């Protein structure tokens, strides 16, 4: 269920890195207990433990894995020496956090996780506002994706991957219409979710 953990799992699978998934029980607040806070002081998952190296923040973990396993599995960022491609990658990465994820994660929280975690009822006015913002972002994505296959250029990168878990939840929650109305966005989405690493992530059992 943890979207941020799915980001990391998909990256591990893209890079062909074996890993062990250690469950943290969010329903009983294990993530806020002192033992866990030693690993993740903000009290959220995921955390990656790589021997004695600890790292948290899903996007940071994915970038770490991409650099550590640069020559293994799929290449998920442009080469830093290609400064123009790298600049475009960072541009799209920033848009993902500020223009996309704020809306997508906000809607999924209101419609799914809020109730699940006993934090109250869905605030429909907030969902409406976030949906409008999401649609504005998707309109720009539709233009970008009419000129290139993926959000940072013609290659699949971490930026595309970062979108996948929350977007998959949006589809399950009935927000597929927002995507299906935009053919270039929909082609991009199909290309992202057809990846073996995503299929394997979905099929991972604890
Ligand atoms: N920015 C963090 C967000 C982590 C996050 O919000 N994780 C959620 C699960 S996807 C969580 O642990 N929620 C439990 C809580 O907020 O107490 C990241 O990308 O790792």
């Amino acid at each position: 269920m943890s979207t941020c953990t799915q980001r990391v799992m998909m990256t591990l699978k893209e890079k062909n890195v074996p890993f062990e998934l250690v469950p943290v029980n969010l329903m009983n607040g294990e993530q806020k207990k002192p033992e866990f806070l030693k690993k993740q002081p903000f009290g959220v998952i995921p955390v990656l433990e790589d021997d004695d190296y600890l790292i948290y923040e899903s996007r940071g973990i994915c970038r770490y894995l991409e650099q550590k396993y640069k020559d293994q599995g799929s290449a998920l960022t442009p080469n830093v020496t290609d400064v123009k491609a790298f600049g475009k990658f960072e541009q799209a990465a920033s848009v993902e956090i500020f223009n996309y994820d704020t809306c997508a994660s906000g809607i999924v929280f209101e419609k799914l996780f809020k109730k699940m975690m006993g934090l109250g009822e869905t605030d429909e006015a907030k969902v409406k506002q976030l949906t409008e913002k999401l649609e504005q972002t998707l309109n720009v994505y539709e233009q970008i994706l009419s000129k290139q296959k993926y959000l940072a250029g013609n290659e699949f990168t971490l930026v595309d991957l970062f979108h996948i878990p929350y977007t998959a939840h949006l589809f399950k929650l009935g927000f597929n219409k927002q995507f299906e109305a935009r053919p270039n966005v929909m082609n991009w989405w199909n290309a992202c979710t057809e990846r073996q690493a995503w299929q394997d992530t979905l099929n991972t059992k604890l």
Side-chain angles (χ1 to χ4, degrees):
M1 287 301 284
S2 162
T3 45
C4 305
T5 306
Q6 286 179 328
R7 256 186 213 127
V8 174
M9 282 168 62
M10 182 170 175
T11 303
L12 286 159
K13 287 175 187 290
E14 289 281 358
K15 305 302 289 179
N16 298 325
V17 181
F19 62 94
E20 182 195 354
L21 195 59
V22 181
V24 177
N25 190 338
L26 301 185
M27 297 305 151
N28 74 6
E30 193 182 334
Q31 75 279 22
K32 310 289 185 212
K33 302 224 163 106
E35 209 45 42
F36 188 79
L37 292 175
K38 280 187 210 152
K39 296 179 186 170
Q40 214 301 7
F42 295 95
V44 286
I45 61 171
V47 175
L48 177 77
E49 297 189 60
D50 186 9
D51 292 328
D52 58 356
Y53 180 73
L54 275 182
I55 179 165
Y56 53 82
E57 274 299 314
S58 59
R59 296 172 183 80
I61 300 171
C62 296
R63 283 177 154 92
Y64 163 76
L65 291 167
E66 167 63 5
Q67 288 309 313
K68 179 166 176 182
Y69 299 102
K70 195 78 205 150
D71 302 321
Q72 190 175 311
S74 317
L76 296 173
T77 54
N79 203 308
V80 273
T81 55
D82 185 350
V83 288
K84 289 187 175 167
F86 202 78
K88 294 288 181 186
F89 167 78
E90 287 300 342
Q91 170 184 288
S94 196
V95 169
E96 185 273 324
I97 293 187
F98 294 105
N99 300 58
Y100 189 84
D101 189 74
T102 44
C103 310
S105 66
I107 295 170
V108 174
F109 174 74
E110 285 296 333
K111 297 288 266 184
L112 182 70
F113 293 133
K114 197 173 178 184
K115 268 190 226 162
M116 199 183 270
M117 295 178 83
L119 298 172
E121 290 301 311
T122 303
D123 180 341
E124 293 295 348
K126 197 162 177 195
V127 171
K128 187 167 177 280
Q129 195 187 25
L130 289 169
T131 306
E132 282 165 13
K133 259 191 84 187
L134 177 76
E135 287 174 345
Q136 285 166 16
T137 301
L138 289 177
N139 285 342
V140 181
Y141 278 10
E142 181 66 7
Q143 288 169 30
I144 294 171
L145 293 166
S146 70
K147 299 189 203 100
Q148 59 194 48
K149 194 165 177 214
Y150 293 102
L151 290 168
N154 278 318
E155 305 297 331
F156 179 83
T157 66
L158 283 180
V159 165
D160 305 292
L161 185 154
F162 291 163
H163 287 74
I164 298 176
Y166 271 112
T167 308
H169 274 307
L170 285 178
F171 269 69
K172 282 195 233 147
L173 291 168
F175 289 78
N176 47 309
K177 295 181 243 18
Q178 274 71 12
F179 295 80
E180 285 161 5
R182 295 168 175 86
N184 298 313
V185 170
M186 205 52 205
N187 285 341
W188 162 80
W189 176 243
N190 289 334
C192 289
T193 49
E194 277 162 12
R195 294 182 78 84
Q196 194 57 47
W198 176 243
Q199 293 305 319
D200 292 347
T201 300
L202 288 177
N203 291 328
T204 301
K205 302 267 178 289
L206 281 175

